[in-house]
């Protein structure tokens, strides 16, 4: 178990993944989003990072051990990242670092780990900065640094619901860092996310490549309008506790994201036959049960079932049947309160 130990210049954090309700898809400039997005911060799908820092260094990552193994590709990614943030965190150039990390979810689960990993790493960096530099640890700065590492990571440092991007309907929203959306109805306070693992394979096209395909996408401007409208409707639905409008935007966002992939040039498909089959089952069951259980999907084939905790028992019954019928596994997660120091 990783642990902070100030006497050894060692800081450890756990940070969660998040699931987007309105998707960030397409970017410009230095990791700036094409549209505003909102996500739910999770609780159990986390990355743990332990960063040891050495004064009088040169901004080098000496080693990166992920779940007991040296990871050269990930180490190179973090090194590039450190080299790129000297203008906003110049102090890193005067230290060297060695890193241990692990995920609380299986690597093969097909869950995007960059949001949790990058936010855990950056929380460690910001904590170190607050000790060796003149900055106090604040979430805005952490979120900005996380955004520069991976867009969606900027929302993972925010408790409960994080908003990233400018939007006329949400004045605090800005493109530089994520902020909390706190004005939701109490019916959205206790939410679950059951992740149905349809396929465990690593995705064939990275999110970064997908974002890049939005630059010349024929539906680019239509997507910006759609995302802005969806954001407005979803925020309002959460403010007044309207699950039906919430669910209809949630599912529209998921299918639109995959529609954009299907219509990119080159086009690609991340959904699997069972992704669609389980969506059909969910719709039938929802029609019969009349329960507010809706799906979303990230850049992969797995379904996230989003619903208020109060209907958990009924959803468990539905998932039992889905597991048997489609031979899939399920990871149970829920809304969470953001990164924690270990
Ligand atoms: C589909 O944050 O992984 O999950 O900024 O290139 O690291 P980079 O992309 P990333 O994109 C995530 C896209 C998404 C939707 C979302 O989380 O909003």
């Amino acid at each position: 178990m990783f642990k902070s130990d100030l006497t050894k210049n060692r800081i450890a954090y756990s940070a969660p993944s998040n699931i987007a309700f309105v998707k960030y898809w397409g970017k410009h400039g230095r990791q700036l989003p094409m549209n505003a997005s909102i996500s739910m911060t999770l609780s159990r799908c986390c990355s743990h990072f332990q960063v040891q820092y050495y004064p009088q260094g040169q901004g080098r990552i000496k080693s990166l051990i992920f779940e007991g193994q040296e990871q050269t590709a990930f180490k190179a990614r973090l090194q590039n990242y450190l080299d790129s943030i000297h203008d906003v965190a110049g102090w890193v150039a005067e230290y060297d670092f060695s890193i241990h990390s692990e995920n609380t979810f299986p690597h093969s689960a097909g869950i995007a780990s960059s949001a949790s990993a990058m936010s855990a790493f950056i929380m460690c960096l910001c904590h170190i900065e607050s000790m060796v530099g003149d900055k106090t640890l604040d979430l805005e700065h952490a979120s900005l640094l996380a955004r520069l590492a991976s867009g969606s990571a900027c929302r993972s440092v925010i408790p409960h619901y994080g908003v990233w991007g400018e939007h006329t309907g949400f004045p605090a929203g800005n493109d530089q860092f994520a902020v909390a959306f706190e004005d939701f109805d109490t019916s959205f306070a206790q939410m679950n996310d059951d992740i149905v693992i349809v396929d465990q394979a690593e995705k064939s096209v990275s999110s970064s490549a997908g974002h890049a395909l939005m630059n010349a996408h024929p539906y680019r401007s239509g997507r910006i309008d759609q995302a802005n409208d969806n954001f407005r409707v979803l925020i309002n639905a959460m403010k007044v506790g309207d699950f039906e409008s919430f669910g209809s935007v949630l599912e529209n966002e998921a299918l639109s994201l995959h529609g954009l992939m299907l219509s990119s040039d080159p086009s690609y498909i991340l959904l699997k036959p069972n992704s669609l089959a389980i969506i059909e089952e969910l719709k039938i069951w929802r029609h019969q049960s009349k329960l507010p259980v809706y799906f979303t999907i990230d850049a992969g084939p797995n379904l996230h079932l989003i619903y208020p905790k109060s209907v958990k028992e009924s959803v468990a019954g539905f998932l039992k049947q889905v597991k048997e019928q489609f031979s899939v596994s399920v990871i149970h997660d829920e809304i969470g309160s953001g990164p924690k120091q270990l």
Side-chain angles (χ1 to χ4, degrees):
M1 185 62 181
F2 300 164
K3 218 161 171 38
S4 301
D5 183 345
L6 300 188
T7 62
K8 295 195 169 116
N9 287 357
R10 196 182 277 166
I11 295 294
Y13 268 83
S14 169
S17 186
N18 68 75
I19 178 67
F21 293 167
V22 174
K23 309 291 181 185
Y24 146 57
W25 200 240
K27 56 178 157 177
H28 63 96
R30 191 176 177 188
Q31 286 280 98
L32 299 169
M34 204 174 83
N35 60 270
S37 58
I38 174 167
S39 59
M40 181 167 89
T41 300
L42 298 179
S43 170
R44 296 197 198 110
C45 290
C46 291
S47 296
H48 295 168
F49 265 68
Q50 182 178 275
V51 178
Q52 182 143 10
Y53 61 98
Y54 306 91
Q56 288 153 1
Q58 294 171 310
R60 299 283 112 207
I61 296 177
K62 289 151 70 104
S63 69
L64 190 156
I65 312 283
F66 175 72
E67 295 180 356
Q69 302 217 314
E70 185 84 43
Q71 294 284 337
T72 45
F74 193 29
K75 182 178 162 203
R77 184 172 170 195
L78 292 191
Q79 185 65 61
N80 281 341
Y81 169 72
L82 277 191
D83 294 345
S84 77
I85 57 165
H86 289 182
D87 59 332
V88 276
W91 68 274
V92 298
E94 289 158 29
Y95 289 82
D96 286 334
F97 305 91
S98 58
I99 304 168
H100 282 84
S101 82
E102 64 190 17
N103 289 338
T104 58
F105 48 91
H107 186 58
S108 58
I111 297 174
S113 59
S114 73
S116 55
M118 291 308 183
S119 53
F121 176 50
I122 276 109
M123 287 307 295
C124 292
L125 286 187
C126 288
H127 196 112
I128 297 167
E129 180 176 36
S130 74
M131 295 189 304
V132 303
D134 52 6
K135 264 201 167 70
T136 49
L137 178 67
D138 79 83
L139 285 188
E140 288 184 0
H141 180 58
S143 177
L144 184 145
L145 287 178
R147 179 198 107 227
L148 295 175
S150 177
S152 57
C154 77
R155 298 182 311 236
S156 269
V157 305
I158 307 294
H160 310 120
Y161 298 108
V163 166
W164 173 36
E166 280 173 24
H167 193 282
T168 50
F170 192 81
N174 73 87
D175 290 353
Q176 299 296 324
F177 52 84
V179 293
F181 169 57
E182 290 169 329
D183 196 13
F184 52 87
D185 183 73
T186 50
S187 54
F188 279 92
Q190 301 280 320
M191 297 290 287
N192 280 8
D193 175 7
D194 285 342
I195 309 165
V196 182
I197 309 297
V198 171
D199 192 290
Q200 308 198 337
E202 193 121 317
K203 61 189 168 194
S204 51
V205 180
S206 72
S207 285
S208 292
H211 288 293
L213 290 172
M214 287 309 293
N215 292 340
H217 200 291
Y219 301 154
R220 181 184 162 91
S221 80
R223 166 59 191 161
I224 295 172
D225 293 344
Q226 178 199 40
N228 284 335
D229 289 347
N230 277 346
F231 183 92
R232 182 175 299 104
V233 175
L234 185 124
I235 289 266
N236 284 334
M238 290 180 72
K239 279 183 185 168
V240 300
D242 175 355
F243 273 96
E244 211 167 307
S245 304
F246 166 82
S248 117
V249 170
L250 192 77
E251 297 188 350
N252 177 266
E253 275 293 304
L255 296 177
S256 297
L257 172 71
H258 286 268
L260 290 165
M261 296 172 193
L262 293 171
S263 50
S264 291
D265 181 15
S267 57
Y268 62 107
I269 307 174
L270 296 183
L271 296 174
K272 298 286 176 197
N274 274 349
S275 314
L276 301 178
I278 298 169
I279 289 174
E280 288 308 316
E281 289 296 322
L282 174 69
K283 286 188 168 178
I284 295 166
W285 178 76
R286 184 168 66 215
H287 185 71
Q288 290 161 355
S289 67
K290 311 254 181 301
L291 294 174
V293 184
Y294 301 94
F295 71 85
T296 186
I297 319 172
D298 259 347
N302 302 325
L303 302 184
H304 293 245
L305 302 194
I306 308 290
Y307 59 89
K309 202 180 198 134
S310 53
V311 303
K312 185 178 166 189
E313 299 306 320
S314 308
V315 179
F318 168 67
L319 282 176
K320 187 169 180 290
Q321 170 215 317
V322 165
K323 279 200 233 172
E324 279 162 19
Q325 193 176 338
F326 298 98
S327 303
V328 291
S329 58
V330 176
I331 293 177
H332 301 280
D333 211 331
E334 61 188 350
I335 191 166
S337 51
K340 289 177 191 59
Q341 190 182 354
L342 299 173

